[in-house]
Amino acid sequence: MKLEFNTKKIEQIKADVEISFVSEKNIKKITKAKELFTLYNFKGDGTIFDAQNKILYVSIKEIDYESIRLAFFTALKTINKLNIKTAKSPCIIYDCVVKSFVAMAEGAIFSSYDFNKYKSEKKETKLDKLIISSTEINDKNFSANEAKIGIQRGEILAKTCSFVKDIVNEIPQTYTPLKMAQDAQNLAKKDKKIICKIYDEKFLEKEKMNAFLAVNRASIHPPRLIHLSYKSKNAKQRIVFVGKGLTYDSGGLSLKPADYMLTMKYDKSGGAAVLGIIKAISELDLDIEAHGIIGATENMIGGNAYKPDDVLISREGVSIEVRNTDAEGRLVLADCLSYAQDLKPDIIIDLATLTGACVVGLGEYTSGIMGNNEKLQNDFYEASKSSGEYTTVLHFNPHLRELVKSNIADISNTSSSRYGGAITAGIFLDKFIRSEFKDKWLHLDIAGPAYVEKSWSYHSFGASAAGLRMCMSFIFSLLRHKK
Ligand code: BES
Ligand code: ZN
Ligand code: ZN
């Protein structure tokens, strides 16, 4: 589906169907539908289709970015089922014009995402084009240029979300670390501004990435360290993203129970988001230097598997007591964060489906932000708010730090307490952050929202591309402040 902004008013545009948004404020203004609304007892809930006049009425409760996304998503979800080729709609502005158009574009594009590769019968949508007119539902004024920037940005972000979702939704049988490396290489092949380097197990051995290698040992698929980079000529900041790319997490010898193992193909969500972030940064030509480091491996069982009781010497030289092989993400990240710090980043952000505890603590909708720099955490939180992703800051404290101490090594890969598991995992990672980068690092635990088991708002079943939009929003805010 194509998205287009048209400076004409909605009445002057030709299309098969018109979308009309109904809010508490404008319901009385929509006089031509008065009878219809009375007939259906419509008080601004859901949708009504006036088949005779080809108008789809869609309710919007509040005016904010999330409601705009949901309204466009709902409208297009309904229209996608119709046998029509073009639709037109007014626009809805809340606060920032660009962000509002980003929200409209995202909502519209999210409506047509479907992972149907393994279905014999594919749902097909007939809609070719949505034209967003300059008619604003509350008669607000704005410039066409801002509208166009917003739509273009929203289109790139939403399409990159689909790219990320396809990776995460892909099955573990085919989506191996080698496949992830191939996808990274393809990004660089298609876009000359992106450089991709792939490192194999020999490199990991040479680099003494023993924690990463231990996790991979029982897998028949070799591991890969993926390094993507993009550098704008006017880059003022170097930002490094690090992603957990567990193409499958069985738990290893500390095997997951069957019910918990199911869905663990989505343990590559952090890595997939990092691929998407670099792709989006390049497509948007942002004035920044960005790197994406992904540790891609499976966590499997076998005679060769690493064991609870093992001690691993990580790339940073920190020794790790393995007490649970299911706490594998932090081991892979420990070595990847070490490699990432050699790039001397101004900001370093890791993304990972790291703990079940984060899902228990925050619910399925919210990601945890951790780190040592309160201002950086708060800035990230503020930036994420308008992105459509929920986040919250989780603070470290000295008592929780005590819990990852080991009797025989520098640190244990699990906490000695049942409580506070999301934060103790963050504290574990902190052990691998050198003092000069302590204040430059953020850890994002996206375990909750990365995979949708029960659809909510504009999120359908499966991968959600968690992490991508909030990180992009943070980069936009960085660039605004660096001007
Ligand atoms: N990949 C899981 C975390 C996870 C759990 C993500 C549920 C999404 C949904 C991670 O590797 C893991 O298994 N963590 C353990 C850590 C524990 C053994 C200390 C967990 O959270 O149970
Ligand atoms: Zn695990
Ligand atoms: Zn995992």
Side-chain angles (χ1 to χ4, degrees):
M1 181 200 57
K2 265 200 208 141
L3 260 185
E4 192 181 287
F5 176 73
N6 194 316
T7 49
K8 287 185 187 149
K9 291 289 166 199
I10 194 158
E11 318 74 67
Q12 298 163 322
I13 295 170
K14 266 197 173 171
D16 298 332
V17 163
E18 173 179 341
I19 298 164
S20 174
F21 294 107
V22 187
S23 71
E24 247 173 52
K25 231 171 142 183
N26 74 357
I27 190 163
K28 293 203 180 73
K29 278 200 292 182
I30 309 175
T31 47
K32 60 179 167 186
K34 215 171 157 190
E35 239 176 78
L36 193 78
F37 290 173
T38 315
L39 181 68
Y40 283 93
N41 204 10
F42 184 75
K43 296 208 175 62
D45 245 337
T47 59
I48 301 184
F49 188 48
D50 176 352
Q52 205 175 359
N53 298 307
K54 306 271 189 316
I55 303 177
L56 175 72
Y57 294 98
V58 179
S59 77
I60 176 159
K61 288 238 159 73
E62 314 267 329
I63 306 288
D64 56 37
Y65 302 124
E66 273 302 80
S67 307
I68 294 173
R69 283 186 187 92
L70 183 57
F72 271 77
F73 175 86
T74 310
L76 273 283
K77 259 287 181 234
T78 309
I79 282 180
N80 284 340
K81 291 184 197 129
L82 304 176
N83 204 357
I84 59 150
K85 288 223 173 307
T86 56
K88 60 179 180 178
S89 80
C91 56
I92 315 170
I93 308 286
Y94 168 70
D95 203 21
C96 165
V97 176
V98 172
K99 286 182 185 171
S100 301
F101 275 92
V102 167
M104 292 177 236
E106 285 178 350
I109 294 171
F110 287 161
S111 73
S112 54
Y113 180 80
D114 190 19
F115 185 70
N116 57 18
K117 192 174 167 184
Y118 298 103
K119 292 247 191 202
S120 310
E121 223 177 283
K122 323 245 188 242
K123 280 182 230 148
E124 266 184 50
T125 56
K126 297 272 184 319
L127 192 72
D128 283 340
K129 190 155 77 171
L130 169 67
I131 308 157
I132 303 180
S133 72
S134 66
T135 301
E136 202 280 334
I137 67 166
N138 292 318
D139 304 321
K140 288 195 184 161
N141 288 321
F142 58 92
S143 79
N145 194 35
E146 283 178 297
K148 282 179 187 156
I149 292 173
I151 289 195
Q152 190 224 10
R153 187 180 290 182
E155 226 177 346
I156 289 178
L157 292 178
K159 286 186 177 158
T160 314
C161 279
S162 303
F163 164 83
V164 173
K165 288 177 192 177
D166 276 346
I167 292 174
V168 176
N169 283 327
E170 189 51 278
I171 58 173
Q173 185 187 330
T174 51
Y175 210 92
T176 60
L178 290 182
K179 179 77 177 76
M180 198 164 215
Q182 232 174 43
D183 277 352
Q185 268 167 328
N186 282 341
L187 282 186
K189 228 186 251 166
K190 285 187 199 147
D191 181 344
K192 293 287 160 259
K193 290 180 290 173
I194 297 177
I195 294 167
C196 176
K197 286 189 181 139
I198 304 293
Y199 298 106
D200 64 9
E201 57 275 37
K202 284 195 197 85
F203 177 86
L204 301 187
E205 274 162 31
K206 195 177 99 247
E207 290 285 312
K208 301 194 172 64
M209 298 174 98
N210 300 313
F212 185 170
L213 282 165
V215 173
N216 175 258
R217 229 158 53 201
S219 170
I220 59 161
H221 301 292
R224 286 295 181 266
L225 176 74
I226 299 166
H227 181 166
L228 285 170
S229 46
Y230 160 90
K231 191 174 176 181
S232 140
K233 278 190 207 97
N234 307 317
K236 289 178 193 76
Q237 288 228 313
R238 185 182 299 137
I239 179 158
V240 179
F241 293 94
V242 180
K244 171 177 173 181
L246 263 286
T247 58
Y248 204 68
D249 180 13
S250 72
L253 289 180
S254 314
L255 196 64
K256 283 183 185 294
D259 288 355
Y260 287 74
M261 199 184 298
L262 192 65
T263 72
M264 275 303 129
K265 65 173 186 179
Y266 93 86
D267 218 16
K268 56 183 175 306
S269 298
V274 170
L275 290 179
I277 290 167
I278 302 297
K279 179 172 158 62
I281 289 175
S282 179
E283 281 178 25
L284 289 161
D285 268 320
L286 300 185
D287 281 342
I288 199 160
E289 176 178 342
H291 295 261
I293 312 298
I294 301 161
T297 175
E298 281 186 331
N299 184 24
M300 298 299 283
I301 56 169
N304 192 23
Y306 82 123
K307 306 171 187 72
D309 281 338
D310 274 344
V311 172
L312 312 169
I313 312 295
S314 66
R315 186 179 188 270
E316 278 298 287
V318 177
S319 63
I320 307 166
E321 179 190 0
V322 177
R323 292 180 69 88
N324 190 317
T325 61
D326 197 12
E328 85 299 336
R330 62 195 78 184
L331 300 176
V332 173
L333 285 180
D335 281 342
C336 290
L337 282 166
S338 165
Y339 175 90
Q341 287 167 90
D342 289 356
L343 300 168
K344 308 229 169 300
D346 296 308
I347 296 177
I348 173 165
I349 301 179
D350 74 73
L351 294 98
T353 45
L354 204 62
T355 65
C358 200
V359 194
V360 173
L362 306 183
E364 292 168 76
Y365 316 104
T366 307
S367 296
I369 304 172
M370 284 159 262
N372 299 295
N373 180 338
E374 232 170 272
K375 181 173 181 311
L376 187 61
Q377 295 176 83
N378 291 338
D379 287 351
F380 192 93
Y381 167 72
E382 285 302 327
S384 71
K385 268 190 194 167
S386 59
S387 74
E389 294 202 65
Y390 294 105
T391 59
T392 193
V393 175
L394 300 175
H395 296 280
F396 295 164
N397 72 48
H399 308 287
L400 289 167
R401 281 191 195 276
E402 287 295 309
L403 304 177
V404 287
K405 288 196 167 154
S406 159
N407 288 318
I408 62 161
D410 298 335
I411 195 163
S412 160
N413 84 329
T414 54
S415 162
S416 55
S417 161
R418 287 172 358 124
Y419 308 116
I423 303 180
T424 49
I427 287 171
F428 175 91
L429 296 179
D430 181 44
K431 183 84 179 168
F432 301 85
I433 304 293
R434 299 169 204 154
S435 53
E436 57 185 301
F437 298 110
K438 288 278 186 215
D439 273 354
K440 299 177 173 172
W441 165 66
L442 287 179
H443 159 56
L444 307 174
D445 194 332
I446 56 170
Y451 201 74
V452 177
E453 292 193 76
K454 220 175 81 203
S455 61
W456 59 281
S457 185
Y458 51 82
H459 299 284
S460 335
F461 179 85
S464 73
L468 175 83
R469 288 181 299 149
M470 57 172 150
C471 285
M472 294 308 295
S473 200
F474 176 66
I475 295 172
F476 291 130
S477 76
L478 273 183
L479 292 174
R480 267 198 304 277
H481 292 120
K482 283 277 156 196
K483 260 186 192 166

